[in-house]
Amino acid sequence: MPYPLDAAAIRTWCGLALEALGRERARIDAINVYPVADGDTGTNLYLTLESAARAVEAAFDGHASAGTAPCLADAAGAMAHGALIGARGNSGTILAQLLRGMTEILAAPPAPPTGPGATGAGIPPATLGRALHRAAAAAREAVAHPVEGTVLTVAARAADAAATAAATAPHTAAVARAAHDGARTALRATPGQLAALGRAGVVDAGGCGLVALLGALADALSGEVTAVPVAVRADAPLPEAAGPAAVTGAAPESCPPGAATGPAFEVIYLLEATDTAVARLRTRLDALGDSLVVVGGDGLWHVHVHVDDAGAAVEAGIEAGRPYRIRITHFDGAAHAARPVPEPSARGVVAVVPGEGLAALCEEAGATTVRVRPGEPPASGELVQAIRQARAREVLLLPNDPELRHTAAAAAEAARTEGIRVALIPTRAAVQGLAALAVHEPDRSFDEDAVAMTSAAGATRYAELAVAERQAWTMAGVCQQGDTLGLIDGDVVVIGGDLTETALTVLDRMLSAGGELVTLVRGAGAPDDLAERLEAHVRERFLAVDTVVYEGGRHAAPLLIGVE
C-alpha cells in the first residue's frame, strides 16, 4: 500500500537514500570524470545526504521532546538545511539546491485536495511533480554555466517524467517512480551529451547519485524496496557507453583532455550574506575560475568554485559577508584547510567502541577511540575527526559494527583527501576489533599490517547477548519484551529467560565448531558471577580452550563473546 508524502516519509527517504548511496559510493567515485576526475562524487553525495539525514533526525527528536510531531514542512526544511550546511564538493552543493527547490513547494501551505490521488492524506501527486520541477530549475539556476549531460540534465528529465505522470497518477508513489524511471533513461544518454563521459565510457557520476536518491524516494512512498541497483551497474550497459569503470567500478582508463590543466584548487565555504551581495559575489567568482555553484538563500549560502587563486576566492567571500567553514582542497589530493598536525607519527589505529572499559582497553593498546552509546552511531565527520586526532600519516580504521560500513568508508575517503593513508579493516564487532589490535604491528609495512589485522578479525567469530525491547519475530522464533537474546554473527539463534543460561548455550554452539581462545567482555548490567561461571564451563567442557575476560563498562552489551 502506498504511503503519503509526509514527515515520516521524508525520514524514511533519508534512510533509504543514505543506504543506497553507501552501497554505490565507491562505484560512483570510480566513474567521476567531470568536471574534475578526482574520484569523489559518490563520497561527497554520501556525506551531504548524511548531514541532511541527521538534521531530519534532530527535527524529530526536538518535536518528540516537546510531545509533538514534525509536519512535512519541518522535515523537508530540515533535510534541505542539513544538506546546505553539510554539502561537499560540486555534486553535494547541487544536491543541496535540489532539496531546497523541492522544499520551496513541499513547505508551502497545502491547497485543497483536487484531482487524481487527492485524498487529503499527505500531498497530492501534482504537488510532488511541481516540487521535482522546482528542484531541477533551482539547481540549474545555481550553476553559473550549466552543461548538458550532467546531473542537471538528469534532474530535468526526471521532472518532466514526474509532471507527465502526475496528471493521472493515483498517488505520489507513482509520480516518484516515474521520476526515477525518467532519470534512469536520461542517465543512459549522458555519454552522448558530454564528450568527457563518452571518451571515458561512463555515465555521469552525479546523475548516478540522483538516480539513487529518486529510487529511494519511490521506495519510501511505495513501501517496496526495488531490487534494481542504481545506474552505475544497471543503467550503464549501453555497448557504446559502458566501459570497464561502468561495470566493475574500476577507475576510468583516461581522463578528459585538459583535466590536469584546469584550476588548481576547490574552494568551499558557507556564507552569511544578503541576496544583493551574493549576486555581486557570483560575478566576481565567475571571473576567477569555473565550476561555480552558489546555493541557498534567506541569508545563508553555500559557495563552491574551482580556482587557481584560492585566496582571492576567500577574499571575495569576505567582501560579500561572513564566510566560515572554509575548505580549500588542492586537486593533487592534499587538503590545505585540514592538514594533520605537524610531525605526525607513522601509523595509528582508530576504533569505534561501545563501553568505557573497551575504550580504555583499546587506548592502552595505542588506539584512538570513538566511544558510542547504543542507538547513537557516529557520523562520518566524527570518524574523520578521530582519524585526524590519531596524528598519523597512516591510519587503520576499525568500525566494529556492520551498520557502520558505509559511514566508515566515507570517512576513510574523506581523510584520504587530506593526505592521510587510511585502510578500513572490516571488523563487525568489538571482539573482532580486539583480535585485530592484538596483531597490529606498526613496524611492518602498512599493507602487511592491514592484511594481518583483517585476517585476525575474520578468524574471530562473534556473539552478543542482548535484552529484547519489544515483541518481535527473529530467526529463532518470537521473542517477548525482556527476553534474553543470543546473537551469533548478528543473527538471533537463542531466546532465553536467563542471561547466564542463554550465554552458556551460545558459547556451546560457538565452540562446537572449534576454537582455541574465548574472549568475554562483560557489560555493566551483567551478573557479577557471569564471567566466572562461563570460564568454569569452558575449563570443564573444552580442555584445550583458553579464556580471557574484560570489563566492557557502561554502554556495552551485557555480554560480548569472541572465539578464535
Side-chain angles (χ1 to χ4, degrees), residues 183-527:
R184 294 180 64 199
T185 300
L187 187 62
R188 292 190 183 98
T190 56
Q193 296 170 321
L194 189 57
L197 303 179
R199 284 191 295 268
V202 297
V203 292
D204 179 64
C208 285
L210 181 59
V211 168
L213 194 72
L214 292 174
L217 176 61
D219 290 346
L221 295 178
S222 68
E224 300 174 358
V225 178
T226 59
V228 179
V230 297
V232 174
R233 287 184 304 225
D235 288 345
L238 294 177
E240 66 275 16
V247 179
T248 67
E253 296 181 0
S254 62
C255 297
T261 59
F265 297 97
E266 177 185 60
V267 178
I268 299 174
Y269 49 80
L270 288 174
L271 177 70
E272 293 178 356
T274 64
D275 291 4
T276 302
V278 168
R280 292 195 298 267
L281 176 66
R282 289 179 192 270
T283 302
R284 174 86 177 273
L285 293 179
D286 192 27
L288 288 175
D290 58 28
S291 296
L292 173 61
V293 185
V294 181
V295 304
D298 300 322
L300 180 61
W301 307 83
H302 189 105
V303 179
H304 169 280
V305 66
H306 294 173
V307 294
D308 282 319
D309 188 345
V314 174
E315 289 173 5
I318 294 173
E319 292 178 6
R322 187 178 78 88
Y324 59 103
R325 291 195 185 180
I326 300 169
R327 184 179 180 86
I328 302 171
T329 305
H330 194 283
F331 283 122
D332 66 2
H336 289 237
R339 289 187 183 276
V341 295
E343 299 182 3
S345 61
R347 188 175 307 160
V349 177
V350 172
V352 180
V353 289
E356 299 166 346
L358 279 173
L361 189 65
C362 292
E363 288 166 2
E364 287 176 8
T368 300
T369 61
V370 179
R371 304 188 185 194
V372 295
R373 298 185 179 189
E376 299 179 11
S380 57
E382 295 175 67
L383 300 187
V384 172
Q385 184 61 28
I387 292 172
R388 294 175 186 145
Q389 291 173 349
R391 300 181 59 181
R393 291 184 292 270
E394 300 173 337
V395 172
L396 299 145
L397 177 59
L398 312 178
N400 296 336
D401 186 341
E403 297 300 319
L404 290 180
R405 62 192 186 280
H406 298 321
T407 300
E413 189 63 33
R416 291 180 189 120
T417 68
E418 301 181 7
I420 306 172
R421 189 179 185 189
V422 182
L424 177 59
I425 310 301
T427 51
R428 300 170 62 84
V431 288
Q432 287 191 332
L434 294 176
L437 264 176
V439 301
H440 168 53
E441 179 50 67
D443 290 335
R444 62 187 163 203
S445 76
F446 183 70
D447 291 337
E448 288 175 341
D449 204 17
V451 168
M453 294 176 72
T454 299
S455 297
T460 303
R461 284 166 288 147
Y462 62 95
E464 175 184 346
L465 265 68
V467 177
E469 297 180 353
R470 60 184 180 277
Q471 184 185 61
W473 287 91
T474 75
M475 293 183 64
V478 179
C479 70
Q480 304 296 328
Q481 182 179 6
D483 282 347
T484 299
L485 307 179
L487 296 87
I488 297 179
D489 293 339
D491 295 322
V492 177
V493 297
V494 179
I495 300 174
D498 179 77
L499 192 145
T500 301
E501 293 302 318
T502 304
L504 290 169
T505 301
V506 169
L507 195 53
D508 285 344
R509 289 199 183 190
M510 296 183 75
L511 287 173
S512 66
E516 299 176 355
L517 175 66
V518 172
T519 300
L520 303 174
V521 181
R522 190 181 75 91

Side-chain angles (χ1 to χ4, degrees), residues 23-32 232-233 245-250:
R23 286 194 307 268
E24 303 296 341
R25 179 195 59 79
R27 295 185 180 90
I28 296 175
D29 281 348
I31 63 169
N32 172 203
V232 174
R233 287 184 304 225
V247 179
T248 67

Side-chain angles (χ1 to χ4, degrees), residues 115-116 128 152 255:
L128 178 56
L152 300 178
C255 297

